[in-house]
Amino acid sequence: MAGFHGCLLSQLRQSRVQVARYVGRTPSRAYSTPPNGSIPAAKKKYVPTQGTYPLGFKTSGTVVGVKPSNKTKPDLALLTSDVPCAAAAVFTKNKFQAAPVTFSRSLLQKKGNRGIQGVIINSGCANAVTGKGGLEDAAKMAQEADKCIGQTDSTIVMSTGVIGQRLPIDKILDKVPAAHQALGGSHEHWLTAAKAICTTDTFPKLMSRTFTLPSSPAVEYRIAGMTKGAGMIHPNMATLLGVIATDAPVSPAALPSVLKHAVDRSFNSITIDGDTSTNDTIALLANGLAGGREVAAGTPDLDAFRAVLTDFAAALAQLVVRDGEGATKFVTIRVTEAASEETARRVASTIARSPLVKTALYGKDANWGRITCAIGYSLISEPGQPINEVPIAPEKTNVSFIPTDGTAELKLLVNGEPEQVDEARAAEILELEDLEILVRLGMGNKQATYWTCDYSHEYITINGDYRT
């Protein structure tokens, strides 16, 4: 008995030593931003070193210190146009909509989607669930920017960060003139602005492209966009913010419909954690300074511009997924042969949001039963009643892994019958950073695509101490 007590005492002492080693230790973060604020090596390839930006737009990023702990990172972004723009925006459907969302929506309605000349964005505080005072703060930000631009009612406002806290509005207003003085059109100006809107992002998300339109093949148009988001990402809308600017002459009347079309196939087709933010906003501004015919409804130009915008927005949205909090994998979920596009979207979204699917992908475990489980409950509403859609037919359903290295697909389920899975081959596929899950429902010819990521230990770490 004495020996037993001695052994137990020894174990207890050892446990105390082990606990003591971890007390006060900062958790290791393998995938988040390094302590010095540098971009992780694996993410640097997504940051452009140059760009081609639309005529007449200027940007800046300024250090305000919205969060008292921030002394060096730009946290106030300003974008302006030399002339008034046609503008449109898509906003979150969360019922607790942040003050900037309410303000900006009202401004666009008041202006009839025209006459917008600036966008001002702060990070560090979402200005969400802040009551009447929050609305007043959003208006003050816009008014201060308007004063610098020399216009009235011309600035959209966005905010991102912690919910439920008031902005340090005086600090922000004091820095708006400096932000305006710092405006420029170079790549570095755009990149600094993209950095200023980041929160838990590990890299700034910025893209630019050139394109032409059928009626003006000799005119080179430009489009640029920046977005932020790494957590609390799920439609509707896809905290997530984005601004897209073009020098194409798009009609104010046509802009909202093309933006909605693009967002439904981009920012509304991504998910990281299934949480829809209070602040989500994607804005599109077109100043027409490149010239050419007005891009209006019912013209080939509008169809062409819509295609350009949709492809551009999808690429920009995918950067958000690649920077998912703690993510180690970028996953494309493609659902085909559906009876309707809505069915395809519901199935793809359900797989993308499943914690069991996402953790299996992180663990490189080919547990495809979790995928079929998600397919099976995707068309069931909360009370347990099917939505008004053609039901899933297990005997027609097929599931495969599509390797991103160009090798043959790995079939997991064929017409409802399980395949003899080569576990070694599955392990090789799951070692890749990019993966595609293909689901064929065998019920029609409609399809949809979602982009998501895995769940790692790091996601819990980041969100467990987000405010602290």
Side-chain angles (χ1 to χ4, degrees), residues 33-34 90 109 126-127 131 147 151 158 235 237 337 385 410:
T33 307
V90 177
Q109 291 173 346
N127 191 12
K147 190 187 303 182
Q151 300 290 337
M158 302 182 196
M237 266 258 316
E337 300 178 12
Q385 298 297 319
L410 180 64

Side-chain angles (χ1 to χ4, degrees), residues 81-208:
S81 170
D82 292 345
V83 298
C85 301
V90 177
F91 301 99
T92 181
K93 292 185 179 180
N94 192 306
K95 294 301 182 184
F96 282 94
Q97 297 189 347
V101 170
T102 301
F103 175 86
S104 298
R105 179 189 287 111
S106 297
L107 178 63
L108 288 169
Q109 291 173 346
K110 174 182 177 181
K111 301 280 287 187
N113 296 106
R114 65 181 73 236
I116 300 300
Q117 209 161 334
V119 181
I120 188 167
I121 310 169
N122 77 273
S123 60
C125 178
N127 191 12
V129 198
T130 46
K132 293 180 180 179
L135 279 171
E136 293 171 358
D137 290 343
K140 289 177 181 178
M141 286 177 62
Q143 289 162 6
E144 191 65 28
D146 284 343
K147 190 187 303 182
C148 294
I149 294 170
Q151 300 290 337
T152 58
D153 293 336
S154 71
T155 303
I156 293 171
V157 182
M158 302 182 196
S159 297
T160 181
V162 178
I163 296 170
Q165 297 181 1
R166 288 286 297 276
L167 289 170
I169 191 61
D170 291 337
K171 291 174 67 175
I172 293 174
L173 297 181
D174 287 345
K175 288 290 187 176
V176 173
H180 187 261
Q181 289 181 341
L183 288 169
S186 72
H187 172 70
E188 287 304 317
H189 284 94
W190 278 86
L191 189 61
T192 303
K195 291 176 180 177
I197 66 177
C198 292
T199 51
T200 59
D201 306 61
T202 68
F203 68 92
K205 298 159 186 64
L206 173 67
M207 287 179 51
S208 62

Side-chain angles (χ1 to χ4, degrees), residues 255-341:
L255 213 59
S257 64
V258 295
L259 179 61
K260 184 180 185 305
H261 177 92
V263 166
D264 281 346
R265 291 155 182 79
S266 57
F267 293 99
N268 270 344
S269 293
I270 64 175
T271 186
I272 289 175
D273 47 24
D275 273 349
T276 297
S277 170
T278 54
N279 289 58
D280 298 333
T281 304
I282 299 293
L284 172 62
L285 280 69
N287 65 13
L289 285 180
R293 293 184 185 176
E294 183 179 58
V295 181
T299 65
D301 280 353
L302 187 65
D303 294 337
F305 177 73
R306 186 174 69 174
V308 168
L309 178 64
T310 300
D311 184 64
F312 182 81
L316 200 56
Q318 288 170 32
L319 291 179
V320 174
V321 176
R322 290 193 179 279
D323 200 22
E325 290 173 339
T328 69
K329 292 190 181 303
F330 175 83
V331 185
T332 299
I333 299 173
R334 191 156 55 98
V335 177
T336 66
E337 300 178 12
S340 69
E341 184 177 343

